[in-house]
């Protein structure tokens, strides 16, 4: 016997929580939200400053990429959130929507109705904007609080002064229509705690009788009749169960969504046949077009004790006590400022992003560890990478992990921009504002100056920015996976709403567009009903 709903949402991540919450506003619509992981009740989830402690825990699928051809054959840890809130429960909470031309590009690539003017109302609908900037491009009544950190590091101000000295203008709204310049990075913080879509949208919806949230429920594949998707099979507490609905929405993320399609026989025929999966619907683009921001961390050591390193157990206990009152150093997500730059004046939108991290990021295995000295880190990445990769099933067992190949640096143009990130970070730190600190460059290191050595170093140490998108691209060509109404091409009853449908990476960070996609999906689904 199958359980019957009006809409099934697969994956209670950033998109899934927002979508299920919006859809269940109509008391006549019965919504099932299924999540493989567990709840998000853990102080580490709530505490912005301890985000790094959540990878490789029950909140993380713990994926790893295949060996990267252009990164010295290294395999990169590739965290993806698992549990209520999904990746929004482990992310760094930065809220940067990108440049208006990102969305106009989506539209040009076939995502009709997703240009900037079309998507702006859905960003606004989500936002309870408390940052600076013009209000006509920001919403003030949405469920998602977007705000600056209430207590910032002194290194944040030093960085912003140095940027100004380097000729990078201060921009008081990096979510406005012109995002070039340096400024404060707003974050999704609710009362100085993590403000994921689970802790905002979903919390306000959980007592609705028409919304069923099932945790520990791993979806195994779709129930299909010809080209119609009738529902899903899932496993919960060791039992395989079935749920059916006229509409199933896949919100399993940029890894989970293409994986679930492929395992259900929806994807590139050749790939499916190669692992013994029956082809139900040949859709060559499923899993292709995977994009991510490759990340280089330039790091400096300082003597002045301006960072959290070396604090005693008493300091930490006091910080914890303050946090319970909604204040103090644990309320920051650390990513308080950064800059969007153009590598040359001819580019349409900033193609480089710098992120100031006001502590020394220790690298090694795992890739990020707690700081081992005072210092700071300026991360950088090309905002609109050209390199693409793919997600591909490796067997017909739904519980086997897919192969993840982000194809980092497969397009040589990205290497030039990685070099530009390092050059810009060095230029900022060479300004007068940093002079008092006498920063000592640790990486790339003062000896690495020529291009060849720098490129070798980039290949040796760069890592993910945790921003996979695009693996079920929206569009209207033969390789597109979903149409602009988010329905899977050639199938009835199945749509996708998450990071995977983004045709191109945004010039910022993906959680903001993912939430916008969920808002627009709710509208599209309501209109269909
Ligand atoms: C460490 C880290 C830091 C980040 N920092 C930022 C940041 O500061 N700002 C920003 O904008 N972005 C950031 N991101 C990226 C951002 O969080 C993601 O792009 C966004 O959360 C993706 O949302 P989603 O809904 O597409 O997927 P997810 O939030 O990953 O949701 C997918 C959900 O589906 C579930 N699922 C998957 N498969 C199945 C299955 N078979 N059955 C049932 N459930 C399933 C998963 O468990 C998960 O809960 C960060 C990411 C990471 C990992």
């Amino acid at each position: 016997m199958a359980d019957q709903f009006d809409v099934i949402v697969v994956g209670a991540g950033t998109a899934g929580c927002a979508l299920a919450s919006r859809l269940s506003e109509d008391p006549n619509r019965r919504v099932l939200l299924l999540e493989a992981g567990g709840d998000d009740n853990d102080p580490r989830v709530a505490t912005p400053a301890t985000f790094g402690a959540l990878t490789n825990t029950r909140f993380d699928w713990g994926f790893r990429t295949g060996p990267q051809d252009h990164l010295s054959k290294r395999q990169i840890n590739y965290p993806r959130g698992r549990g209520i809130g999904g990746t929004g429960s482990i992310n760094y909470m930065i809220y940067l929507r990108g440049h208006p031309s990102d969305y106009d590009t989506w539209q040009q690539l076939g995502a009709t109705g997703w240009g900037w003017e079309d998507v702006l109302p859905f960003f606004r609908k989500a936002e309870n904007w408390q940052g600076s900037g013009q209000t006509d491009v920001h919403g003030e009544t949405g469920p998602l609080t977007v705000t600056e950190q209430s207590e910032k590091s002194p290194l944040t101000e030093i960085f912003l002064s140095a940027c100004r000295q380097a000729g990078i203008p201060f921009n008081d709204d990096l979510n406005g229509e012109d995002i070039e310049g340096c400024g404060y990075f707003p974050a999704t913080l609710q009362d100085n705690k993590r403000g994921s879509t689970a802790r905002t949208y979903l919390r306000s919806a959980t007592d609705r009788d028409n919304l069923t949230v099932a945790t520990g429920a791993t979806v195994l594949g779709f129930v299909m009749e010809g080209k119609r998707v009738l529902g899903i099979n899932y496993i919960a507490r060791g039992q395989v169960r079935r749920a059916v609905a006229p509409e199933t929405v896949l919100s399993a993320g940029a890894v989970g969504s293409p994986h679930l399609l492929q395992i259900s026989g929806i994807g590139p025929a050749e790939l499916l046949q190669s692992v013994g999966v029956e082809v139900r619907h040949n859709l060559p683009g499923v899993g292709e077009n995977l994009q991510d921001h490759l990340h280089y961390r330039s790091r400096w050591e300082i003597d002045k004790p301006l960072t959290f390193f070396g604090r005693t157990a008493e300091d930490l206990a006091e910080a914890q006590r303050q946090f319970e009152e909604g204040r103090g150093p644990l309320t920051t997500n650390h990513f308080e400022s950064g800059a969007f730059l153009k590598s040359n004046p001819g580019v349409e939108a900033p193609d480089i992003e710098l992120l100031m991290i006001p502590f020394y990021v220790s690298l090694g295995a795992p890739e990020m560890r707690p700081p081992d000295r005072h210092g700071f880190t300026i991360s950088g990445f090309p905002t609109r990478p050209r390199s693409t990769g793919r997600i591909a099933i490796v067997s017909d067992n739904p519980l086997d992990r897919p192969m993840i190949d982000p194809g980092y640096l497969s397009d040589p143009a990205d290497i030039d921009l990685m070099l530009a990130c390092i050059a810009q970070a060095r230029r900022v730190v060479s300004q007068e504002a940093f002079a008092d600190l006498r920063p000592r460059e640790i990486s790339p290191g003062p000896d690495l100056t020529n291009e060849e050595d720098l490129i070798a170093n980039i290949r040796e140490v760069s890592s993910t920015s945790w921003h996979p998108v695009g693996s079920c691209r929206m569009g209207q060509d033969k390789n597109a996976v979903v149409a602009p109404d988010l329905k899977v091409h050639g199938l009835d009853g199945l749509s996708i709403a998450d990071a995977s449908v983004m045709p191109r990476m945004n010039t910022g960070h993906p959680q903001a567009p993912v939430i916008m996609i969920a808002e627009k999906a709710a509208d599209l689904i309501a209109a269909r009903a």
Side-chain angles (χ1 to χ4, degrees), residues 10-16 34-37 55 61 79-83 85-88 90-96 217-220 251-254 256 260 465-468 497-500 509-512 514:
V10 177
T14 298
L34 288 157
E35 169 54 46
T55 46
W61 286 87
R80 292 288 86 204
R82 187 173 193 275
T87 308
I90 65 169
N91 75 7
Y92 295 2
M93 293 154 265
I94 303 166
Y95 185 89
L96 289 166
T218 301
V219 175
L220 303 171
S251 295
L260 267 173
S465 296
W466 314 283
H467 293 171
D498 59 23
S500 72
H509 295 233
Q511 75 159 341
V514 167

Side-chain angles (χ1 to χ4, degrees), residues 43-71:
R44 291 169 302 172
V45 174
T47 313
T50 56
F51 56 76
L54 294 164
T55 46
N56 293 315
T57 65
R58 76 170 172 93
F59 299 104
D60 178 14
W61 286 87
F63 293 127
R64 219 165 145 70
T65 69
Q68 289 300 287
D69 285 347
H70 306 281
L71 295 183

Side-chain angles (χ1 to χ4, degrees), residues 130-151:
Q130 296 182 6
S132 52
Q134 318 92 323
T135 51
D136 60 338
V137 292
H138 299 299
E140 288 170 335
T141 55
L144 192 75
T145 302
V146 183
T147 181
E148 279 171 22
Q149 305 74 6
S150 56
E151 293 191 35

Side-chain angles (χ1 to χ4, degrees), residues 90-364:
I90 65 169
N91 75 7
Y92 295 2
M93 293 154 265
I94 303 166
Y95 185 89
L96 289 166
R97 302 186 301 200
H99 191 266
S101 63
D102 293 333
Y103 304 96
D104 293 337
T105 303
W106 289 15
Q107 175 137 275
Q108 283 153 21
L109 292 171
T112 309
W114 292 80
W116 173 245
E117 292 301 330
D118 304 303
V119 300
L120 184 56
F122 295 99
F123 278 120
R124 298 189 68 224
K125 189 173 181 188
E127 292 168 1
N128 170 16
W129 179 262
Q130 296 182 6
S132 52
Q134 318 92 323
T135 51
D136 60 338
V137 292
H138 299 299
E140 288 170 335
T141 55
L144 192 75
T145 302
V146 183
T147 181
E148 279 171 22
Q149 305 74 6
S150 56
E151 293 191 35
K152 299 192 183 77
S153 161
L155 284 161
T156 293
E157 295 307 330
I158 293 172
F159 169 78
L160 290 173
S161 302
C163 283
R164 285 193 198 93
Q165 289 166 353
I168 303 167
F170 181 75
N171 184 334
D172 76 346
D173 185 9
L174 294 177
N175 279 289
E177 297 202 321
D178 175 9
I179 63 169
E180 192 173 357
C182 66
Y184 297 108
F185 276 3
T188 45
L189 296 169
Q190 172 96 30
D191 301 325
N192 282 333
K193 300 196 163 105
R194 178 185 294 276
S196 61
T197 55
R199 297 170 56 86
T200 53
Y201 283 85
L202 192 64
R203 277 213 179 157
S204 62
T206 36
D207 56 0
R208 291 180 191 153
D209 291 341
N210 60 323
L211 173 63
T212 305
V213 181
T215 52
T218 301
V219 175
L220 303 171
F222 302 111
V223 183
M224 292 175 70
E225 197 177 79
K227 298 286 179 184
R228 169 165 279 281
V229 170
L230 303 175
I232 43 100
N233 288 323
Y234 65 100
I235 183 162
R237 282 167 281 283
Q239 282 204 323
V240 176
R241 306 185 60 165
R242 176 168 292 194
V244 294
E247 176 123 22
T248 297
V249 189
L250 195 44
S251 295
V255 176
S257 287
H259 181 230
L260 267 173
L261 289 173
Q262 291 172 359
I263 207 71
S264 308
I266 305 162
E270 217 173 296
L271 168 71
L272 306 187
Q273 281 155 353
S274 72
V275 295
V277 168
E278 183 196 341
V279 181
R280 315 288 295 269
H281 184 53
N282 179 20
L283 205 50
V286 174
E288 300 295 322
N289 188 51
L290 177 67
Q291 296 161 44
D292 190 10
H293 285 136
L294 183 68
H295 191 110
Y296 186 91
R297 299 184 181 95
S298 300
R299 301 175 301 156
W300 285 264
E301 179 177 38
I302 58 175
D303 293 323
K304 228 177 184 178
L306 293 182
T307 75
F308 216 66
F309 166 70
R311 300 287 166 93
T312 61
E314 288 78 43
D315 294 333
L316 292 172
E318 174 58 16
Q320 189 57 49
R321 198 188 60 72
Q322 290 181 9
F323 182 66
E324 274 143 31
E325 294 169 1
R327 62 189 181 89
L330 298 182
T331 61
T332 180
N333 64 335
H334 303 290
F335 291 84
E336 298 162 357
S337 66
F340 286 101
L341 310 169
K342 289 183 174 177
S343 63
N344 74 73
V347 295
E348 179 184 34
D351 51 357
I352 292 173
E353 181 180 333
L354 298 183
L355 300 92
M356 171 64 175
I357 309 172
F359 61 83
Y360 185 87
V361 174
S362 299
L363 302 180

